[in-house]
Amino acid sequence: MDQLDILKQNWQSQTGNAPQFSKEQLGGLLARKSSSIVKWLFIIAIIEFALFIVLGLFSHFGNEENNTVELIGKPFYYGSMIVHYVVIVFFIFLFYKNYKNISTSQPTRSLMNRILKTRRTMKWYIWYNLVYMMVVGMIGAVLIIPNDPRMSEVLNSPNFIGHETAFYATFLGLTFVMFLVMCVIMYLIYQLIYGILLRKLKRNYNELKRMEV
């Protein structure tokens, strides 16, 4: 049992003869714990960003070797990468701003709003990454089809002449399933990493809400 749980029990069961714990004391501890949680969200997001940069560099050199960049097209490849990094940096800035805005001296209602805002920001961040992976992956698949010599060779073979539409549909369908599985795995990882912290934030919010009643 941590300090917050002990203080909550004492506050809820206090009598006239017991030491009196005020809402301000409990609210201050909730604010400190919430600030610590948001700080960890900020740190993990930075680590994730750095990891994506490293993986992106390895992927870039690998894609150059197998000519994927040329197949997709440099404008889309580099453009989508730049936009993605800019958006991630913006989210990291929001996490940092949320962390700085949580203060032990702010009113309970203001603290509750900050917690809600932090949870919304993190959920937007998670869904942005999932949607980005799916959309960019599918667009990349569409761009590869007409530019890949191996695709042209298959389509020009006797077995596929006249069945181009079925080939496109099958290829894009399998690609969609592949990226869907990747998104599900990524979502589960996010739930494991960020979900624990977000549930703690929600618990703090619920405690503050009970104090307001």
Side-chain angles (χ1 to χ4, degrees), residues 24 33 67 72 85 90 139 160 172 174 182 207:
E24 288 72 20
K33 289 183 70 69
N67 212 28
I72 295 177
Y85 287 150
F90 175 70
I139 293 176
F160 284 93
L172 293 177
L174 291 174
M182 291 173 61
E207 291 297 336

Side-chain angles (χ1 to χ4, degrees), residues 9-27:
Q9 285 189 0
N10 290 337
W11 181 70
Q12 292 169 351
S13 61
Q14 61 190 358
T15 63
N17 297 324
Q20 298 296 302
F21 297 96
S22 66
K23 284 186 177 182
E24 288 72 20
Q25 287 178 298
L26 184 57

